[in-house]
Amino acid sequence: MKIADSVKKQIEEDPSMTELPSLAEVMREHHVSRGVALRAFGVLRQEGLAEPAPGVRWRVVRLGLRVDRRPLEQRIADIITAEGLEVGEAFPSASALADRFGVSRPTVTKALDKLEAAGVLAGGGQGKVRTVRAVPTREERS
């Protein structure tokens, strides 16, 4: 509870905080095991202050703020329609997408692989530029 209270205080004092500290940071700062740090995160989740997010750190939940909770591959696919990309055009790189969505490159690569398997993107691989293979329909994006 002391650890959860400490993190809760950080959230309250920093309105721009969007993610919880990493488990490693909490373990190091409070000299506790991974299990204890996870239990503290669980307390924050029960109180509605944080939620786990696949592929990224736990997110801070703030009242009134809208967060896109769809899978990363769906949010990436939205780039095609939002930026008006046509079939055959180059798609942003994994590095650019990682910066844009605030996640790691391996996480983006997994999402891009799913879009390739679905036939939305083509190409990829080391040194190759991914291109748009198909513009997602509304049903594919929802």
Side-chain angles (χ1 to χ4, degrees):
M1 291 302 286
K2 289 180 182 179
I3 297 165
D5 288 340
S6 172
V7 176
K8 189 187 318 182
K9 185 177 178 183
Q10 284 179 294
I11 294 169
E12 290 168 356
E13 291 176 352
D14 184 1
S16 65
M17 185 178 189
T18 59
E19 310 180 316
L20 296 185
S22 70
L23 282 175
E25 291 168 345
V26 171
M27 291 165 52
R28 188 173 41 255
E29 182 178 329
H30 296 279
H31 307 289
V32 296
S33 69
R34 178 178 171 81
V36 171
L38 280 170
R39 281 195 298 275
F41 282 16
V43 168
L44 294 170
R45 182 181 194 178
Q46 286 178 331
E47 293 180 6
L49 295 172
E51 66 184 4
V56 294
R57 291 184 181 184
W58 280 59
R59 280 191 283 247
V60 173
V61 175
R62 298 203 187 267
L63 293 177
L65 291 181
R66 186 166 183 247
V67 177
D68 191 348
R69 290 181 173 82
R70 294 176 302 146
L72 182 60
E73 64 270 12
Q74 289 178 5
R75 292 184 283 149
I76 290 175
D78 281 349
I79 291 172
I80 296 170
T81 53
E83 296 183 6
L85 297 178
E86 300 289 330
V87 173
E89 285 191 68
F91 198 72
S93 69
S95 296
L97 293 169
D99 289 341
R100 183 172 180 167
F101 291 101
V103 297
S104 68
R105 274 187 33 231
T107 299
V108 169
T109 301
K110 288 178 186 176
L112 291 172
D113 289 345
K114 289 179 182 180
L115 291 172
E116 284 183 34
V120 175
L121 297 177
Q126 189 153 355
K128 293 184 179 178
V129 176
R130 281 186 178 84
T131 57
V132 176
R133 180 182 279 171
V135 176
T137 62
R138 187 165 234 354
E139 294 80 37
E140 290 171 331
R141 287 183 291 150
S142 58

